[in-house]
Amino acid sequence: MPSKHRSDALAAIHETAADLHRVGGMDQKTMRKFDALCLTPIQEMTPKKIRALRTREKASQTVFAAYLNVTPSLVSKWERGEKHPQGASLKLLSLVDKKGLEVVA
Amino acid sequence: MPSKHRSDALAAIHETAADLHRVGGMDQKTMRKFDALCLTPIQEMTPKKIRALRTREKASQTVFAAYLNVTPSLVSKWERGEKHPQGASLKLLSLVDKKGLEVVA
DNA sequence: CAGTCTATGGCACTAAGTGCTACACTTTAG
DNA sequence: CTAAAGTGTAGCACTTAGTGCCATAGACTG
């Protein structure tokens, strides 16, 4: 489902990538567009993966939820597959997956 | 609205804080609960603040959205006050606010 | 002028996320 | 032995954040 913004983001990136390459030397600030190329792709988050992630971080659902600024109830639903993290939630989860709970402290 | 999980998280933290203090020496892993005490409180995100944040990072709505894994449409709505970031989105925003766009790359 | 990037705006729709409550299980304390 | 607290599951009613699509308009550039 996250197909539109995914593709149009990639489109924007690829389109501008050529430009940037052509320009050669460029300002760090405008280079933001290029940075998007380096965005770590977000993978699906299965219930198992979420629970594994949380237990890896040795956190209860309540504490884990506090870190992510969501309700404990939601974490439970994620882990039971009742609700599926998406958008910002998914990003946050994969961020924790990659860098650990500390980064979101 | 984020009152329940906020308070019950704080409750859990405060309750256990005493325990932890009493115990004295403790294992890094179980100390997770204590970590929650150090969670940076998330502030309200007004439309102005969001836009200021994005422009500070020199990103277009599209690129900004890509970083947060949301749609450009939503970023626009945030900045116009049509929709209000919450939960994970809010956390992500205040994370960018504090540490910059790079950390979510 | 054509093309691209930018942002706004609206509208229909889905499901993520909240809030609350009750239940069962385990561990710890008294 | 028992009370208390922390843990996770479960369900239900409800709200609104977030998606998707598309049409519009301004700015900038070759």
Side-chain angles (χ1 to χ4, degrees):
Chain A
M1 294 82 200
S3 51
K4 179 49 185 320
H5 56 298
R6 188 94 202 123
S7 55
D8 92 9
L10 283 180
I13 295 158
H14 274 85
E15 246 49 274
T16 31
D19 298 25
L20 295 171
H21 184 267
R22 182 164 46 74
V23 174
M26 71 176 323
D27 161 51
Q28 279 284 3
K29 303 315 190 176
T30 330
M31 203 161 86
R32 283 273 175 259
K33 291 167 183 172
F34 187 78
D35 285 349
L37 248 181
C38 314
L39 276 177
T40 61
I42 50 276
Q43 64 274 34
E44 292 275 321
M45 272 294 186
T46 70
K48 293 194 174 191
K49 224 176 160 172
I50 298 177
R51 167 154 298 180
L53 180 54
R54 178 177 63 83
T55 54
R56 190 193 76 190
E57 300 290 336
K58 303 258 187 319
S60 68
Q61 291 183 341
T62 303
V63 175
F64 196 67
Y67 271 88
L68 304 184
N69 192 40
V70 296
T71 53
S73 164
L74 182 57
V75 174
S76 174
K77 290 180 208 291
W78 280 345
E79 295 188 358
R80 283 178 292 134
E82 194 178 316
K83 293 291 165 67
H84 307 281
Q86 216 182 5
S89 311
L90 190 53
K91 178 73 189 187
L92 212 41
L93 282 171
S94 62
L95 198 60
V96 171
D97 184 23
K98 211 190 175 196
K99 307 198 176 182
L101 253 191
E102 316 300 339
V103 295
V104 301
Chain B
M1 288 79 198
S3 50
K4 180 48 185 316
H5 57 297
R6 189 92 202 124
S7 55
D8 93 9
L10 283 180
I13 294 159
H14 274 86
E15 246 48 274
T16 31
D19 299 25
L20 294 171
H21 183 268
R22 182 164 47 74
V23 174
M26 70 176 326
D27 161 50
Q28 279 286 0
K29 305 314 190 178
T30 329
M31 202 161 86
R32 283 273 174 259
K33 291 166 184 174
F34 187 76
D35 285 350
L37 249 181
C38 313
L39 276 177
T40 62
I42 50 276
Q43 65 274 34
E44 292 275 321
M45 274 292 186
T46 69
K48 293 194 174 192
K49 223 176 161 172
I50 298 176
R51 167 153 297 179
L53 179 54
R54 178 177 62 83
T55 55
R56 189 193 76 190
E57 300 290 335
K58 303 256 188 320
S60 69
Q61 290 183 342
T62 304
V63 174
F64 196 68
Y67 270 88
L68 304 184
N69 192 38
V70 295
T71 53
S73 164
L74 182 58
V75 174
S76 173
K77 289 180 209 291
W78 280 345
E79 295 188 358
R80 283 179 292 132
E82 194 178 317
K83 294 290 166 67
H84 307 281
Q86 214 179 7
S89 311
L90 192 53
K91 178 74 188 186
L92 213 40
L93 282 171
S94 62
L95 198 61
V96 170
D97 185 23
K98 211 190 175 196
K99 307 196 175 183
L101 254 191
E102 315 300 339
V103 296
V104 301

